[in-house]
Amino acid sequence: MPLSEELQRACEALGRALASSEPVREYLEAQARLEADPEARALEEEFQALYQSLLARQQAGEDLPREEVDRFYRLRNQAESHPLIVERDIALSELKQYFADVAFQISTLLGADYTALARRV
């Protein structure tokens, strides 16, 4: 469904406003610091890979070896306490809340549920 020129301009203006907002900038900066740190990046990648592997195996009905489950919990604790990962996760949480607030404000202005309308496009 093509957008009218006016709606297209409004969407682009919203995108620019969101991109320049403090919560978006803070998240992107926190993510960049995490990605620039080889240790933090490797820890997160190892944790995510193990999580995905264990999840898939568990969903397939496999009994997971205790050693691997213990390794998962050790990695999770390390990831949850790494300062750069914590900083990024806090920024992500704040960004999600910001987007929820923006969606609520748009819905209020439109007099309709913005998120439901966006899903139909």
Side-chain angles (χ1 to χ4, degrees):
M1 165 173 102
L3 300 177
S4 70
E5 260 188 64
E6 180 182 10
L7 187 53
Q8 181 71 34
R9 284 192 305 274
C11 291
E12 290 170 358
L14 175 61
R16 285 189 301 275
L18 291 173
S20 66
S21 70
E22 185 176 335
V24 170
R25 282 194 322 273
E26 287 178 0
Y27 168 75
L28 292 173
E29 290 167 5
Q31 180 65 30
R33 283 189 290 276
L34 190 154
E35 289 176 7
D37 185 291
E39 176 192 322
R41 193 177 63 245
L43 173 61
E44 183 169 59
E45 289 171 0
E46 182 181 4
F47 170 70
Q48 289 299 325
L50 180 59
Y51 171 75
Q52 293 300 323
S53 170
L54 292 176
L55 180 63
R57 291 166 51 199
Q58 184 180 43
Q59 289 175 342
E62 183 179 332
D63 287 332
L64 302 176
R66 185 78 210 153
E67 307 82 45
E68 288 186 70
V69 173
D70 289 344
R71 182 171 161 246
F72 166 80
Y73 285 119
R74 279 193 309 276
L75 281 172
R76 186 185 72 178
N77 289 339
Q78 289 175 352
E80 288 178 346
S81 63
H82 193 288
L84 292 174
I85 295 173
V86 169
E87 176 189 34
R88 190 274 322 271
D89 288 348
I90 290 170
L92 178 58
S93 178
E94 291 172 357
L95 180 60
K96 288 178 180 180
Q97 182 58 53
Y98 174 69
F99 283 159
D101 292 344
V102 168
F104 176 76
Q105 291 174 13
I106 292 171
S107 293
T108 300
L109 290 170
L110 292 175
D113 183 357
Y114 164 76
T115 52
L117 293 172
R119 287 186 187 121
R120 294 190 335 196
V121 174

